[in-house]
Amino acid sequence: MAKFPVINMEKLNGEERAATMELIKDACENWGFFEVLNHGIPYDFMDKIESLTKEHYKKCMEQRFRELVASKALEGLQAEVTDMDWESTFYLRHLPESNMAEIPDLTDEYRKVMKEFALKLEKLAEELLDLFCENLGLEKGYLKKAFYGEKGPTFGTKVSNYPPCPTPDKIKGLRAHTDAGGIILLFQDPQVGGLQLLKDGEWADVPPLRHSIVINLGDQLEVITNGKYKSVEHRVIAQTDGVRMSIASFYNPGSDAVIYPAPALVEKEEEEEKKGLYPKFVFEDYMKLYALLKFQAKEPRFEAMKAIATA
């Protein structure tokens, strides 16, 4: 299998720009995932986030997870569990309005650095969307504009920890799914692996790489690019050793944003015949459907939205 794509963003500023843009294009078209280095987020700042996140898990989440495992009788599983994940999580909302102040148990320092991290990731997400526009032949700012609802995009972070699991063959860290939204930026544990994506019918590891940000594309980018870029199924395999940290930030359309294929990316014949066209829908409506069908294939979701649009 081909090597997982790692992009050095520093090379976008020099004579290797064209080759780097080509690497990004290939990653978007053939992987739906890639890792970026030299992305503008200071590495010592990332180290601080990692240490505060792990500290918070130990202090506030670990015992709760143990109690959950006991209450759900997940120790020593004999049969496979398909309706739960082996993960401990909490969610932060940044845009359109932050809920950071409402999350209990966070230290002031942790709140402050997560707020700062969100701003840096938002900037990186918008920079990447413009690079995608360049590769797709869309005007600069098109994708950012497509995500804008009345109040701009939706942006939030899922902070997860995947504790050691005694029966990883019986329960997944996170079951296979595609992401519903736009562009996802993941700061994952630099040592403990487990994230996998489906590539050419086989599960491939997303390698832990210190100070990298893993990028993956959600269902909305597949629709807007008319299938030129694909959202890809991925999962987390529970590990027997080590706690895996995962900080996934989702830069998504605004809830009222209307999503549809960019006209410039729709072939004329396709438009005339209305064949194979992705649906047009309001993002919030898609999310309601996704909430029910997250761990199922995306194609029926697209078909359901198409049926609603033509009803």
Side-chain angles (χ1 to χ4, degrees):
M1 187 177 282
K3 196 164 177 281
F4 186 85
V6 178
I7 314 287
N8 179 355
M9 291 189 72
E10 229 170 29
K11 292 185 176 178
L12 288 165
N13 303 319
E15 52 196 36
E16 293 182 73
R17 180 181 171 83
T20 306
M21 288 299 286
E22 195 54 43
L23 287 174
I24 294 171
K25 179 174 182 279
D26 179 70
C28 289
E29 290 178 355
N30 298 309
W31 289 82
F33 266 81
F34 56 97
E35 280 179 270
V36 292
L37 286 167
N38 297 313
H39 37 61
I41 301 173
Y43 290 173
D44 58 345
F45 180 67
M46 293 179 78
D47 291 340
K48 190 173 189 180
I49 289 167
E50 182 187 341
S51 124
L52 287 171
T53 301
K54 290 182 173 179
E55 200 178 290
H56 175 263
Y57 172 73
K58 274 254 173 261
K59 201 170 132 197
C60 306
M61 309 285 287
E62 190 171 41
Q63 185 53 34
R64 269 182 238 164
F65 184 77
R66 284 194 186 126
E67 287 163 11
L68 174 77
V69 166
S71 71
K72 301 280 184 187
L74 297 176
E75 283 285 6
L77 290 168
Q78 300 301 312
E80 192 175 355
V81 173
T82 55
D83 60 350
M84 276 186 75
D85 302 305
W86 189 271
E87 65 171 354
S88 165
T89 62
F90 65 94
Y91 295 86
L92 302 171
R93 196 173 59 244
H94 313 300
L95 295 173
E97 282 146 17
S98 172
N99 72 343
M100 197 85 77
E102 299 154 31
I103 306 294
D105 307 329
L106 302 184
T107 64
D108 289 345
E109 185 186 20
Y110 194 26
R111 273 181 227 276
K112 184 170 171 282
V113 299
M114 288 307 272
K115 196 174 177 182
E116 204 180 321
F117 191 37
L119 290 171
K120 293 179 189 299
L121 288 171
E122 185 188 342
K123 184 171 172 255
L124 178 59
E126 291 175 355
E127 191 184 331
L128 287 163
L129 288 176
D130 276 344
L131 294 174
F132 297 170
C133 285
E134 192 178 327
N135 270 337
L136 290 160
L138 297 170
E139 63 180 285
K140 188 177 178 178
Y142 182 92
L143 290 170
K144 182 180 169 181
K145 208 159 112 190
F147 281 21
Y148 255 59
E150 187 80 12
K151 299 176 185 169
T154 310
F155 188 42
T157 298
K158 177 188 176 192
V159 181
S160 306
N161 281 278
Y162 297 91
C165 176
T167 52
D169 55 327
K170 297 289 190 284
I171 188 167
K172 296 282 181 291
L174 182 60
R175 288 160 285 165
H177 63 288
T178 65
D179 287 327
I183 181 170
I184 297 85
L185 305 96
L186 167 70
F187 175 19
Q188 68 165 346
D189 200 284
Q191 287 166 312
V192 184
L195 178 61
Q196 297 183 328
L197 67 101
L198 198 59
K199 167 84 171 133
D200 304 327
E202 289 178 30
W203 289 105
D205 292 327
V206 177
L209 183 59
R210 185 168 284 285
H211 299 137
S212 74
I213 299 283
V214 179
I215 307 298
N216 74 285
L217 313 180
D219 295 349
Q220 306 312 302
L221 278 178
E222 179 167 335
V223 173
I224 297 169
T225 65
N226 199 36
K228 287 193 166 41
Y229 293 175
K230 295 277 198 295
S231 63
V232 168
E233 219 174 307
H234 52 285
R235 66 184 186 182
V236 176
I237 296 297
Q239 306 294 310
T240 51
D241 294 310
V243 177
R244 176 180 176 267
M245 177 197 78
S246 159
I247 304 174
S249 297
F250 300 81
Y251 185 99
N252 291 347
S255 58
D256 60 340
V258 180
I259 303 299
Y260 55 91
L265 301 178
V266 177
E267 300 290 337
K268 200 167 171 222
E269 303 78 42
E270 196 182 356
E271 178 62 65
E272 283 165 6
E273 294 176 26
K274 298 284 179 205
K275 269 188 191 162
L277 271 178
Y278 283 85
K280 180 177 183 174
F281 52 82
V282 175
F283 179 60
E284 189 174 26
D285 293 340
Y286 187 84
M287 287 308 288
K288 284 175 186 165
L289 184 69
Y290 181 82
L292 303 170
L293 305 171
K294 175 176 177 175
F295 297 107
Q296 296 179 30
K298 64 188 169 185
E299 291 77 12
R301 295 198 292 266
F302 292 151
E303 288 306 317
M305 294 315 293
K306 212 185 282 188
I308 292 166
T310 54

